[in-house]
Amino acid sequence: MTGVSSQPERDDPVGDQPGGRAVELRTEQLAKSFGDEVVLRGVDLEVCRGQIVAVVGASGSGKTVLLDCMVRLLEVSGGRVFAADHGRAGSPLTEITRAKERVLQRIRLHWAVVFQRNALFSGSVYENIALLLREHTKLSERAIVQRARESLGACALDVDDVLHKDRDELSGGMAKRVAIARAIAIDPAVLFYDEPTTGLDPVVSGSIHELIWNMHHRPRSTGEQRTTVIVTHDKELLRRLSPRVVMLHHGEICYDGEYAGFGGSDCEPAQEYLREMPVLHGRKAGG
Ligand SMILES: Nc1ncnc2c1ncn2[C@@H]1O[C@H](COP(=O)(O)OP(=O)(O)O)[C@@H](O)[C@H]1O
Ligand SMILES: [Mg+2]
């Protein structure tokens, strides 16, 4: 057997360069149900290298489920997901919905997910970052300390103050920054965020928008562009990052395009979403 094309999990004949732009991720007719509840009913989505893509939609519309299916934290009910394999430069996209654990692991070395609740392990900030680096790299302990410090610094944290803090001592905004620092420490090709600003006040949210932007543009050691996928309902984030917007509605994509065209699109759920104002004054507490 010669070449990668002989491997059954690499069966995308189209290759990964439509219009000269490398594809990082592609879903084809991705479907996901839980029992009788159909959450995704045929999602076709292609994410190209270097893009910032925001997946929006009402609460419960399947944004997190889509993200989890894309990184195969969830098994799909139908359709396929393909991803670039940065461990094998130049190879065709790999169908991760069928990939063996070994292949999946290799692909995941180049992905970082910032989860909604951060998913920091109990222990210190340093241990959180070091653990991931020990798993992902062959760096010496000394180099790991260096990398941890650089990553925390890049996330505008006071390194000496935060490095040995316990996870449970961090404020919401700091914990988010640490989660992002841990993600960026592995120099990922793709950074996924699930609701990065939920639960944070507007000022802290604003600083997280900036951080997402900066991490996206932070040069990679390979010289390649980074790709960012954000699941969010934060309209201010859309306004500030002006990403490609993908809107989910009733399990399907109802808008996919530039942010600039989102408000003017004839997609009714988009209009509704943009009209919705999260203003609470005037309401009774708890109402
Ligand atoms: N593990 C699960 N088991 C059963 N139902 C689930 C599971 N995860 C998500 N769901 C359902 O899928 C729907 C979409 O959820 P989710 O993707 O979390 O929405 P959101 O767009 O708010 O992120 C919801 O109705 C939720 O109840
Ligand atoms: Mg969600």
Side-chain angles (χ1 to χ4, degrees):
M1 298 218 301
T2 55
V4 289
S5 58
S6 60
Q7 297 192 14
E9 63 268 12
R10 298 171 183 282
D11 57 358
D12 176 26
V14 184
D16 63 349
Q17 307 272 341
R21 209 159 180 198
V23 176
E24 274 299 336
L25 287 157
R26 179 192 299 153
T27 70
E28 288 178 4
Q29 288 298 298
L30 168 57
K32 180 66 184 175
S33 301
F34 296 98
D36 291 341
E37 187 191 0
V38 181
V39 178
L40 302 175
R41 55 183 85 233
V43 171
D44 290 319
L45 177 63
E46 192 164 83
V47 176
C48 292
R49 187 158 308 150
Q51 286 185 321
I52 302 181
V53 180
V55 178
V56 303
S59 175
S61 59
K63 304 183 295 294
T64 297
V65 167
L66 175 61
L67 174 69
D68 288 351
C69 287
M70 283 170 93
V71 298
R72 212 175 133 180
L73 285 174
L74 275 176
E75 298 295 333
V76 302
S77 309
R80 310 197 289 177
V81 180
F82 296 89
D85 183 349
H86 290 267
R88 292 213 169 166
S91 64
L93 295 178
T94 298
E95 185 183 346
I96 60 162
T97 27
R98 287 197 303 154
K100 298 187 187 95
E101 195 53 37
R102 171 182 57 82
V103 176
L104 203 53
Q105 270 179 17
R106 188 173 65 223
I107 291 175
R108 282 188 174 140
L109 286 178
H110 304 271
W111 287 349
V113 186
V114 178
F115 291 98
Q116 183 165 354
R117 291 185 185 81
N118 301 319
L120 296 173
F121 324 118
S122 67
S124 72
V125 167
Y126 175 68
E127 272 310 313
N128 264 276
I129 299 177
L131 216 68
L132 205 70
L133 287 172
R134 286 183 204 124
E135 257 175 35
H136 278 64
T137 69
K138 294 191 171 69
L139 292 175
S140 68
E141 203 59 26
R142 199 184 164 134
I144 286 176
V145 173
Q146 179 66 22
R147 181 77 71 86
R149 296 185 71 92
E150 276 168 18
S151 306
L152 291 165
C155 291
L157 285 157
D158 177 342
V159 179
D160 292 318
D161 176 54
V162 90
L163 193 63
H164 297 293
K165 267 210 160 84
D166 191 83
R167 171 194 71 175
D168 299 332
E169 292 177 79
L170 304 172
S171 67
M174 272 170 99
K176 186 60 72 185
R177 281 180 185 278
V178 168
I180 296 174
R182 182 177 67 173
I184 206 71
I186 62 160
D187 191 21
V190 191
L191 247 170
F192 299 91
Y193 298 86
D194 191 355
E195 302 284 7
T197 54
T198 295
L200 303 177
D201 69 47
V203 174
V204 176
S205 292
S207 68
I208 298 298
H209 300 154
E210 215 166 298
L211 194 50
I212 292 171
W213 179 263
N214 291 343
M215 293 307 104
H216 181 75
H217 292 100
R218 185 174 159 84
R220 292 196 58 215
S221 58
T222 59
E224 285 175 321
Q225 285 185 299
R226 206 183 307 282
T227 305
T228 300
V229 178
I230 314 162
V231 159
T232 185
H233 67 265
D234 179 350
K235 281 174 256 194
E236 188 60 12
L237 180 149
L238 299 187
R239 199 182 66 77
R240 294 193 69 203
L241 269 57
S242 198
R244 170 179 163 198
V245 178
V246 172
M247 183 169 210
L248 287 180
H249 183 66
H250 289 161
E252 291 173 346
I253 292 178
C254 72
Y255 179 83
D256 182 357
E258 296 305 315
Y259 173 66
F262 186 50
S265 77
D266 54 9
C267 162
E268 179 52 32
Q271 301 305 329
E272 222 169 273
Y273 169 80
L274 290 168
R275 269 198 305 272
E276 226 178 74
M277 291 297 286
V279 174
L280 293 174
H281 62 76
R283 285 203 208 164
K284 286 199 178 104

